[in-house]
Amino acid sequence: DAMVIQNPRYQVTQFGKPVTLSCSQTLNHNVMYWYQQKSSQAPKLLFHYYDKDFNNEADTPDNFQSRRPNTSFCFLDIRSPGLGDAAMYLCATSRDTNIQYFGAGTRLSVL
Amino acid sequence: QKEVEQDPGPLSVPEGAIVSLNCTYSNSAFQYFMWYRQYSRKGPELLMYTYSSGNKEDGRFTAQVDKSSKYISLFIRDSQPSDSATYLCAMRGSRSGGANNLFFGTGTRLTVIP
């Protein structure tokens, strides 16, 4: 059974058109993460929620925002996507500092 | 210098071969070491999870950690075509409470040829 679910699997958007990616989890984990992974590169952490506390990485552009309305759901908002934002976006969850479990990812294309 | 270095490959081996995948790291504070497998266009899936130095075996997979050399390895015995994927090493320091910032290698792409 899928435990970390990302929707949609593939998203196409236009340059500058806001887009929202979704992540839900059935693990009841208190930490949720968003990573950006470009081709042949390591996943890059954008930010995470520890419970309700938002933690932004220092080099995450302001164009990227996140919302976590409850324990189970977390959203990644890209306010004005550029061509350089085309990537796989991965959601992960963990119980405190324990193992991170990843979703299947959303592949974003920007036209 | 990157925190974690991993040879990106690609690596091609015949079916049944023993595969050795490796990562080096620079931060001596890393205590927890993981190997994730990532199939094409999918998310990473945890394969092995080890703490500090030593070996851990799970079926055809063996993870080794040598903290003195800052070097970790993943061995795959009797490799199968279904093992064809990208293998990512990841690691983090010891931290009580709080979240879990992982440092990833870039991944090694493995192809097992039938």
Side-chain angles (χ1 to χ4, degrees):
Chain A
D1 291 340
M3 295 181 289
V4 182
I5 303 161
Q6 291 188 243
N7 284 303
R9 291 296 315 280
Y10 302 92
Q11 176 74 56
V12 180
T13 191
Q14 291 178 331
F15 183 94
K17 185 174 180 181
V19 66
T20 295
L21 310 182
S22 167
C23 178
S24 64
Q25 53 125 343
T26 60
L27 298 164
N28 201 32
H29 284 169
N30 61 328
V31 190
M32 295 186 78
Y33 309 79
W34 280 104
Y35 290 85
Q36 180 192 63
Q37 187 181 26
K38 295 188 175 180
S39 181
S40 302
Q41 294 185 21
K44 177 181 181 297
L45 183 64
L46 295 173
F47 26 59
H48 73 269
Y49 272 95
Y50 184 81
D51 294 321
K52 294 181 180 179
D53 294 332
F54 178 70
N55 297 271
N56 201 29
E57 293 300 299
D59 56 354
T60 298
D62 291 340
N63 199 25
F64 292 85
Q65 304 285 322
S66 186
R67 295 171 284 135
R68 189 180 186 185
N70 54 52
T71 300
S72 301
F73 284 86
C74 196
F75 300 98
L76 169 62
D77 300 309
I78 308 176
R79 292 191 298 187
S80 182
L83 298 179
D85 297 328
M88 173 79 91
Y89 289 88
L90 297 166
C91 173
T93 74
S94 71
R95 166 63 57 187
D96 296 321
T97 58
N98 291 317
I99 296 167
Q100 290 189 27
Y101 293 89
F102 284 82
T106 295
R107 181 165 293 278
L108 177 68
S109 298
V110 182
L111 303 180
Chain B
Q1 183 187 8
K2 289 182 184 176
E3 299 252 23
V4 181
E5 299 276 0
Q6 184 175 9
D7 185 342
L11 179 63
S12 292
V13 300
E15 183 175 353
I18 296 174
V19 176
S20 172
L21 305 168
N22 311 293
C23 288
T24 59
Y25 61 95
S26 57
N27 190 340
S28 58
F30 289 147
Q31 296 276 354
Y32 294 87
F33 303 91
M34 286 135 273
W35 286 95
Y36 284 86
R37 177 175 62 195
Q38 187 174 22
Y39 290 113
S40 181
R41 300 182 182 273
K42 298 285 179 66
E45 167 197 11
L46 184 69
L47 264 183
M48 301 289 282
Y49 180 75
T50 54
Y51 170 70
S52 196
S53 285
N55 292 1
K56 185 174 182 179
E57 188 173 321
D58 184 1
R60 297 185 295 111
F61 299 90
T62 300
Q64 283 187 353
V65 175
D66 181 350
K67 290 192 68 183
S68 63
S69 302
K70 298 191 180 70
Y71 188 89
I72 69 170
S73 300
L74 177 70
F75 296 97
I76 307 173
R77 289 184 299 280
D78 186 24
S79 55
Q80 303 295 309
S82 59
D83 296 327
S84 298
T86 295
Y87 290 81
L88 294 152
C89 65
M91 51 199 77
R92 68 171 178 91
S94 177
R95 181 178 174 183
S96 58
N100 172 1
N101 283 15
L102 288 180
F103 293 84
F104 282 90
T106 53
T108 299
R109 195 166 79 184
L110 171 68
T111 301
V112 180
I113 303 165

